[in-house]
Each structure stands twice: as structure tokens, then as C-alpha cells.
Amino acid sequence: MHTQSVDSPPRPTDRRPATRWAGVLTLCSALLLALVAVRYHPLMTLDGEIAETTHRWAVADSGLTQTCRILTDWVWDPWTMRILCAVVVVWLLWRHAARWTAFWLALTTLVGTALQQGLKAAVDRARPVWPDPVDSAHYAAFPSGHAMTATVVCGLLLYLLHRHGVGPAVWRTAVAVAVVSVAGVGLTRVWLGVHWASDVVGGWLMGAALVAAAVVVHNRRGPGADPADPRGRSSAP
């Protein structure tokens, strides 16, 4: 059976699901943001209980805690994700001359960074404080920058892979790596006691909302947005 490569024409896209997802995720993000901003008591209580439990586990299991620190500080660090994104941008320009897609990818990542920093400053939520911390972090807590950046970068790259119709083995591997990365970085932030659980959920939701909105924008640009976009060319029979 013939499998499409990255040089094959991108699959046709239906804009409606992406638009709906963008709306739903934005609504959920706004709701969680409001609950955190007003310090909704049930949510604050749940965050505290989760944080206290995971901190006890982190102190007791120093080996797993050290592994989480390596993963969160190096493998899933926001700068690692941004460098990965920059490599893909360069590849799009060099391999496909896809200027619009490269610009779209870089701009969406920058918007995600600006959005998370702006929300951190606006909400100004304090991070958990422990008498025996196992890690430290700077800036305000909500939303988790690690969780949001991983969600944005992994989501955008999965969209590009799906759009270009890569083979099933590559697709399954990419999805598995993305899911492990996005879920894993969120769990490490809570385990290390530098974020509340709702910070991580907020990062996931806001990152996913941004990806969905970016997909809507990219789809509306239409065929032929890039000089190398196969949908913008006529092909011989």
C-alpha cells in the first residue's frame, strides 16, 4: 500500500472542528482563569491537598524526584521546546520554502510565550512554599509555562505532520511522544512542588486553545499560501 510522504499533497481539512475546539477550549480556559483569579475555595482546597500529597512522595523518593528534575529542566524545558520549534522553522524554509507556514509556526510559539507571561503577571498567583523544597522556580504560578509551551509546540508539530500525511508508524510514534511529553511535564511540575495542579491544567487548556485557534488561521489561509504547497500547483495526470 502506498503511504504519503511529507512531499505528498496535504490532506484536505475541515475548518469547522478546529473552530469548535478553539471556542470550547477558550471557554474552559477562561472559566479556570476566573476561578483561580477569585481564589475559588473548593479549587484552592483541592490544589492544596494534591500539592501536600505529592510533596510528601517527592521528599520520600529522592531517585524519582531527581529524574523529574532532569526531565523538566532539560528534556521538557520550555527552551528545549522552543529550540525544537526553531529547528522545524528552519527546515520548513530550507526544505520546502514554506515561508507562510514557517512564519505561522514561529509566530504562534511567540504568542504562546507572551500570553503565558502576561497571564502570570496579571494573576500573580504565588507558588507552593515548602519548608523542605525539592526544587525551585521563578515568576508567578498560573499558568504553568512548561505545560503550556509543551502543549503548543507538540500540538503545532502534530498538526503539521497530520496535514502532510506522514506514514502510520511515524504518526503513531509522534503522537505517543507528544502525549508523554505534554502529560509528563505537567506531572513533574506538580511532583516537584513548583506548581499547583490547576496551574498545569490551565497551561494545558490555554496551550490547546491556542493551537486550535492557530489551526483555524492556517486552514483559512488556504491552498497555495506557500510556494511549495502542493495544493497550490496543478499536477499532471
Side-chain angles (χ1 to χ4, degrees), residues 54-108:
T54 53
H55 182 67
R56 286 198 303 270
W57 294 343
V59 171
D61 194 337
S62 58
L64 181 55
T65 297
Q66 183 60 26
T67 300
C68 287
R69 291 188 65 177
I70 293 172
L71 289 171
T72 197
D73 291 342
W74 295 98
V75 180
W76 296 325
D77 182 77
W79 279 108
T80 303
M81 292 291 170
R82 292 170 190 140
I83 290 171
L84 172 61
C85 189
V87 169
V88 176
V89 167
V90 172
W91 180 78
L92 285 168
L93 291 171
W94 173 71
R95 179 67 176 80
H96 293 289
R99 290 186 294 274
W100 156 244
T101 298
F103 171 76
W104 166 86
L105 179 59
L107 180 62
T108 304

Side-chain angles (χ1 to χ4, degrees), residues 194-208:
V194 293
H195 273 294
W196 308 103
S198 58
D199 299 338
V200 170
V201 175
W204 286 335
L205 286 174
M206 292 174 186

Side-chain angles (χ1 to χ4, degrees), residues 40-52:
Y40 182 59
H41 186 264
L43 179 61
M44 300 298 106
T45 300
L46 179 61
D47 273 344
E49 292 173 350
I50 294 173
E52 289 173 4

Side-chain angles (χ1 to χ4, degrees), residues 33-189:
L33 172 62
L35 293 176
V36 170
V38 301
R39 299 188 58 81
Y40 182 59
H41 186 264
L43 179 61
M44 300 298 106
T45 300
L46 179 61
D47 273 344
E49 292 173 350
I50 294 173
E52 289 173 4
T53 300
T54 53
H55 182 67
R56 286 198 303 270
W57 294 343
V59 171
D61 194 337
S62 58
L64 181 55
T65 297
Q66 183 60 26
T67 300
C68 287
R69 291 188 65 177
I70 293 172
L71 289 171
T72 197
D73 291 342
W74 295 98
V75 180
W76 296 325
D77 182 77
W79 279 108
T80 303
M81 292 291 170
R82 292 170 190 140
I83 290 171
L84 172 61
C85 189
V87 169
V88 176
V89 167
V90 172
W91 180 78
L92 285 168
L93 291 171
W94 173 71
R95 179 67 176 80
H96 293 289
R99 290 186 294 274
W100 156 244
T101 298
F103 171 76
W104 166 86
L105 179 59
L107 180 62
T108 304
T109 305
L110 289 173
V111 169
T113 300
L115 179 61
Q116 65 172 266
Q117 292 301 324
L119 288 171
K120 282 179 180 290
V123 178
D124 196 25
R125 187 184 194 186
R127 293 179 185 267
V129 177
W130 310 106
D132 51 350
V134 298
D135 201 358
S136 61
H138 304 291
Y139 308 111
F142 186 89
S144 166
H146 280 69
M148 186 169 176
T149 303
T151 303
V152 169
V153 172
C154 290
L156 294 175
L157 296 185
L158 282 179
Y159 163 72
L160 291 177
L161 285 175
H162 177 72
R163 183 173 180 272
H164 285 279
V166 295
V170 173
W171 174 250
R172 285 193 294 266
T173 301
V175 170
V177 170
V179 170
V180 169
S181 298
V182 172
V185 73
L187 295 176
T188 61
R189 302 310 283 168

